[in-house]
């Protein structure tokens, strides 16, 4: 066997072993909540690959969950948008927070990738282009076999290398690779303060519509205690009717989910 072939095999084996262990990949996410506005939201995201499974979440949420995993009981504000876990059975579990409840929606991951011939260097890696239509959006992705992980941001996976960049054609969502770290603080991917409740897609939509129709139900009925104060710090009676109108207006305006075909049709 030629020396070059032996070296190539050894390097490939080393890479496979290295990336089969716990890895943290960082991404920057830029997205639009309102399609009629040019304003964007930016978030730092992390992809945690652990024991054959992975979790995608905001860096802020990862920091909060890390604190809770070592016994922290105090108040800490997280950021749970785009929270998703991919398991060994090729399923994704996505988590939705509505009032005090946490819902878990588990679905099989079905991605019909098309690998293109186009190649380019991105983020210092040799990359190849792939395209995908997924739940109402057409995506362009760049993956690198330099990092032999069949992983990527959110629920995206299954290419012969790590996805380092991904953007939909409407330019509403873009994920960009920003770093890789060997190892991280391991924890239960479902170590939430409230146990998630399994829910179907249809029942999730119903729960979201119920929240839209009466977002302050728990406060009105007294199930959740809250005090409202004016600018001078004096207690005031809340105007739930006006508050409901503002919340409904916000939900209708910021209705550009990453899974576009699953957008709630608000009345």
């Amino acid at each position: 066997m030629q020396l070059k072939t032996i070296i190539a095999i050894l390097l490939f084996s080393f890479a496979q072993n290295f990336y089969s262990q716990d890895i943290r990949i960082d991404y920057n996410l830029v997205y639009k909540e309102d399609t009629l506005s040019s304003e964007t939201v930016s978030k730092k995201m992390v992809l945690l690959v652990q024991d054959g499974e992975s979790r995608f979440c905001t860096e802020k949420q990862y920091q909060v969950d890390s604190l809770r995993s070592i016994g922290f009981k105090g108040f800490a504000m997280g950021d749970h948008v785009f929270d998703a876990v991919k398991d060994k059975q090729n399923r994704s579990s996505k988590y939705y927070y509505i009032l005090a409840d946490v819902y878990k929606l588990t679905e099989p991951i079905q991605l019909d990738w098309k690998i293109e011939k186009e190649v380019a260097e991105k983020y210092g890696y040799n990359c190849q282009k792939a395209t995908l239509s997924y739940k109402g959006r057409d995506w362009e992705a760049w993956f690198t076999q330099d990092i032999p992980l069949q992983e990527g941001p959110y629920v995206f996976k299954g290419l012969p290398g790590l996805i380092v960049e991904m953007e939909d054609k409407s330019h509403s969502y873009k994920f960009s690779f920003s770093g890789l770290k060997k190892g991280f603080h391991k924890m239960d991917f479902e170590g939430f303060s409230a146990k998630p409740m399994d829910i179907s897609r249809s029942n999730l939509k119903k729960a979201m519509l119920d929240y839209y129709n009466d977002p302050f139900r728990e406060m009105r009925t007294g199930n959740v205690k809250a005090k409202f104060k004016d600018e001078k710090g004096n207690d005031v009676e809340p105007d739930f009717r006006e508050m409901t109108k503002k919340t409904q207006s916000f939900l209708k305006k910021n209705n550009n989910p990453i899974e576009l075909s699953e957008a709630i049709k608000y009345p």
Side-chain angles (χ1 to χ4, degrees), residues 17-167:
N17 181 64
F18 181 84
Y19 290 111
S20 67
Q21 302 175 45
D22 300 336
I23 295 288
R24 166 179 165 166
I25 299 104
D26 292 347
Y27 291 92
N28 290 320
L29 168 61
V30 178
Y31 67 101
K32 292 181 181 179
E33 294 179 317
D34 178 5
T35 57
L36 301 179
S37 172
S38 61
E39 293 185 7
T40 59
V41 178
S42 299
K43 291 186 182 294
K44 293 183 181 297
M45 310 296 297
V46 297
L47 173 65
L48 310 172
V49 182
Q50 169 184 305
D51 301 328
E53 299 186 337
S54 66
R55 180 188 179 190
F56 188 70
C57 62
T58 63
E59 183 177 48
K60 187 175 183 179
Q61 189 62 47
Y62 168 66
Q63 292 171 347
V64 169
D65 291 345
S66 295
L67 284 172
R68 289 174 178 160
S69 72
I70 59 175
F72 177 74
K73 301 295 184 182
F75 176 78
M77 180 67 72
D79 183 0
H80 46 255
V81 296
F82 309 110
D83 211 333
V85 171
K86 290 170 277 189
D87 65 18
K88 296 175 183 177
Q89 285 73 48
N90 202 40
R91 299 174 302 182
S92 69
S93 293
K94 287 159 282 189
Y95 300 87
Y96 301 86
Y97 293 66
I98 303 176
L99 297 176
D101 296 323
V102 184
Y103 296 100
K104 174 184 175 182
L105 175 65
T106 301
E107 298 175 315
I109 300 175
Q110 298 175 329
L111 304 172
D112 187 16
W113 288 105
K114 181 181 178 183
I115 297 179
E116 310 289 350
K117 294 181 179 179
E118 189 174 347
V119 295
E121 182 177 312
K122 289 180 176 287
Y123 312 102
Y125 297 102
N126 297 314
C127 297
Q128 189 168 356
K129 182 179 175 181
T131 54
L132 171 72
S133 292
Y134 179 75
K135 295 199 174 185
R137 295 190 187 276
D138 293 324
W139 293 89
E140 177 181 292
W142 291 89
F143 68 94
T144 177
Q145 296 188 56
D146 294 347
I147 305 176
L149 280 176
Q150 294 188 357
E151 275 288 353
Y154 192 51
V155 302
F156 303 117
K157 61 178 294 185
L159 288 169
L162 179 70
I163 299 170
V164 296
E165 184 175 292
M166 196 157 180
E167 184 175 15

Side-chain angles (χ1 to χ4, degrees), residues 236-254:
V236 294
E237 286 296 319
D239 184 347
F240 287 119
R241 184 173 181 178
E242 184 62 27
M243 290 165 61
T244 295
K245 286 182 178 180
K246 289 182 178 180
T247 299
Q248 290 176 337
S249 176
F250 175 84
L251 290 173
K252 292 176 78 170
K253 180 181 178 182
N254 297 281

